[in-house]
Amino acid sequence: MHPGTMQSNFAHFCHLLLERSGLVLDEDKHYLVDTRLSHIAEHHGFASVDALLSKLQTGPVESLVTECVEALATHESSFFRDTLPFTQLANVILPKIIEHKSISKSLRIWSAACSTGQEPYSIAMTLQEHIDKLQGWHIEIIATDMVAKAVEQAQSGFYTDFEIGRGLKPEQLHRWFHKTEGGYLIDPSLRRMMHFHTYNLLAPPTVRGPFDIIFCRNVLIYFNRDKKIEILKRLGSLLGREGLLILGSAETVIGLCDTFEPLDGHHGLFRLKA
Ligand SMILES: C[S@@+](CC[C@H](N)C(=O)[O-])C[C@H]1O[C@@H](n2cnc3c(N)ncnc32)[C@H](O)[C@@H]1O
């Protein structure tokens, strides 16, 4: 294929990816597209990844577009990833919520890019460790991701030995997981606390606010400035007045929008501006 045509196919795919998912691909990421899309090209009988990209440009089929866009998402996750957000949840956030919601006794948490579920299950395990203080509370954990396959795995609660080996203490493994063929299954009591949906952060909300806590970690890093701002505003509209937004360790709201401000002394925690 002519190099100019290949370049145009690649540029079109970058644009499509940005519009559909917010993910930004740099000009030098041809190798990433090749690696992630080669099995899709093969599966659908295209002679090459470029032939697949050409199809996406000239006569796209919706299901193929979705498959290709989803293949570019990175699902890297682990239980209790970065540790700090979960100690903050236990030691800073829960005590505040238990105090100011002592009448309504309702706690709503959203894991807004939950990948394969390690984040929401880590939230659930953290809550369970403090369940004596939450007796009689109505607790909801909503977990969403743009990629249906990731949400399906999260919902199944099945993890391979490798996934289980990342982030869990032996006592957590023992208490919350059951050995099964090829891996482990999460305890049904944790799964029952959870509602899973597919949801693209760029779309009008299909989840209902207000939330007390929104975890939106390690996803904004993949977006450009405009998409970050768009998503932060949307998250702000779904957060309760006293609610907290938790971002990834390399993410911030600073310099992006004035919906949120950092919570003094607590890295990664943000509240709505008064
Ligand atoms: C690197 S994982 C982070 C998972 C988890 N939050 C953590 O910190 O371990 C990023 C996730 O964001 C999801 N994602 C990417 N773009 C998205 C979008 N526009 N809407 C919703 N989820 C998206 C990906 O599918 C992926 O599962």
Side-chain angles (χ1 to χ4, degrees):
M1 198 172 287
H2 189 275
T5 315
M6 285 171 70
Q7 197 50 41
S8 145
N9 291 340
F10 180 76
H12 173 264
F13 181 64
C14 291
H15 178 72
L16 191 68
L17 188 68
L18 179 67
E19 285 313 304
R20 294 294 185 106
S21 68
L23 302 174
V24 178
L25 260 193
D26 297 329
E27 279 297 305
D28 60 351
K29 291 285 166 57
H30 279 267
Y31 74 93
L32 190 67
V33 173
D34 272 344
T35 318
R36 300 272 180 99
L37 298 190
S38 60
H39 68 284
I40 299 179
E42 202 177 317
H43 177 76
H44 290 280
F46 291 96
S48 64
V49 167
D50 199 63
L52 168 63
L53 295 187
S54 171
K55 172 72 182 167
L56 297 186
Q57 176 151 227
T58 52
V61 175
E62 187 52 35
S63 57
L64 194 57
V65 172
T66 305
E67 205 177 336
C68 293
V69 167
E70 293 191 349
L72 263 291
T74 298
H75 299 299
E76 168 63 17
S77 195
S78 55
F79 292 100
F80 297 94
R81 182 176 185 178
D82 298 334
T83 315
L84 182 65
F86 303 96
T87 52
Q88 288 170 328
L89 174 62
N91 301 332
V92 181
I93 308 177
L94 274 181
K96 274 188 206 288
I97 291 180
I98 289 171
E99 195 184 313
H100 80 78
K101 296 198 81 183
S102 61
I103 307 284
S104 67
K105 286 193 178 350
S106 133
L107 173 57
R108 301 191 72 234
I109 302 178
W110 179 23
S111 168
C114 71
S115 184
T116 40
Q118 287 90 334
E119 180 176 274
Y121 287 124
S122 302
I123 297 170
M125 284 183 258
T126 306
L127 295 187
Q128 283 292 345
E129 277 155 23
H130 296 80
I131 206 70
D132 49 328
K133 295 175 217 129
L134 292 166
Q135 286 302 332
W137 281 60
H138 179 68
I139 300 172
E140 253 185 298
I141 302 171
I142 317 285
T144 62
D145 197 280
M146 168 185 83
V147 176
K149 269 194 195 139
V151 176
E152 270 165 36
Q153 184 189 332
Q155 196 154 21
S156 77
F158 174 83
Y159 295 96
T160 61
D161 293 339
F162 174 74
E163 290 166 324
I164 282 291
R166 299 181 66 207
L168 289 170
K169 293 181 191 149
E171 60 270 24
Q172 289 164 329
L173 174 60
H174 181 71
R175 183 167 174 199
W176 297 117
F177 293 84
H178 306 284
K179 186 76 189 120
T180 181
E181 208 187 317
Y184 289 81
L185 261 181
I186 198 106
D187 192 81
S189 64
L190 290 190
R191 218 179 15 217
R192 275 197 296 272
M193 297 170 74
M194 227 78 81
H195 301 277
F196 292 99
H197 310 280
T198 52
Y199 170 61
N200 185 331
L201 287 162
L202 297 181
T206 52
V207 290
R208 181 179 57 83
F211 290 98
D212 300 297
I213 311 166
I214 300 178
F215 283 73
C216 186
R217 301 168 60 229
N218 304 305
V219 60
L220 291 184
I221 33 167
Y222 298 106
F223 298 157
N224 67 19
R225 185 183 161 78
D226 287 351
K227 300 287 185 208
K228 283 181 191 167
I229 294 173
E230 179 184 335
I231 291 169
L232 284 170
K233 286 189 175 154
R234 184 159 299 128
L235 297 180
S237 72
L238 292 165
L239 194 64
R241 239 340 321 141
E242 305 282 334
L244 286 173
L245 170 68
I246 306 185
L247 296 181
S249 57
E251 295 162 333
T252 184
V253 302
I254 296 169
L256 289 173
C257 72
D258 53 13
T259 309
F260 292 99
E261 61 187 7
L263 187 68
D264 278 347
H266 299 290
H267 182 77
L269 301 191
F270 302 88
R271 66 178 172 199
L272 293 173
K273 261 195 181 161

